[in-house]
Amino acid sequence: DVCARPRSASGERLELSQRQVGSLPPCTFFRPLLLRTCPTGTARIGLHRTFSDSLAERTGGKVPFWMKTISGMTSGAIAVCIGTPMDVALVRMQADSMKEPEFQRNYKTVIDALVR
């Protein structure tokens, strides 16, 4: 009985059975995923737009490719720093659900997974 099928970093599916997940609802694993994806994506796009507008203003509208590249890499790096704590919570919650019941920490929320 599959409850959730998130993908690991290598792309393989992690199948969690109801027995492994226990009493946690399936949405428990998607909260940190959304909390990581939404801020990271919007920060990356917003920062890139801000950097690009600033560069266009400084160069008179014609931004060289290398400046666009630096703008994209910088905005991506800053956005990753924003999303990494939520990624840590996602990994902790997934790993905890696969442990034997007596060794589980039973995280209740994303904040709980981050604090512990």
Side-chain angles (χ1 to χ4, degrees):
D1 197 38
V2 176
C3 183
R5 292 185 181 168
R7 291 191 181 269
S8 69
S10 63
E12 60 193 31
R13 286 190 181 260
L14 300 173
E15 293 191 8
L16 306 174
S17 69
Q18 186 64 37
R19 181 188 59 79
Q20 289 171 316
V21 174
S23 62
L24 293 175
C27 62
T28 303
F29 297 104
F30 298 112
R31 286 182 194 143
L33 182 64
L34 289 174
L35 285 173
R36 176 186 62 110
T37 304
C38 292
T40 303
T42 55
R44 186 179 64 232
I45 292 168
L47 288 169
H48 182 62
R49 172 58 70 191
T50 302
F51 295 159
S52 295
D53 290 347
S54 176
L55 289 171
E57 191 176 292
R58 290 181 183 186
T59 60
K62 181 71 174 155
V63 181
F65 178 74
W66 68 271
M67 283 187 171
K68 291 178 184 178
T69 304
I70 298 296
S71 170
M73 290 188 323
T74 304
S75 62
I78 294 170
V80 165
C81 292
I82 295 168
T84 298
M86 297 307 155
D87 202 23
V88 170
L90 176 65
V91 170
R92 281 184 179 177
M93 292 174 82
Q94 287 178 339
D96 188 56
S97 70
M98 292 183 207
K99 291 180 182 177
E100 295 295 322
E102 60 270 7
F103 297 112
Q104 288 182 354
R105 292 185 175 182
N106 296 321
Y107 297 116
K108 297 191 182 349
T109 64
V110 174
I111 303 301
D112 186 32
L114 285 172
V115 172
R116 286 204 232 170

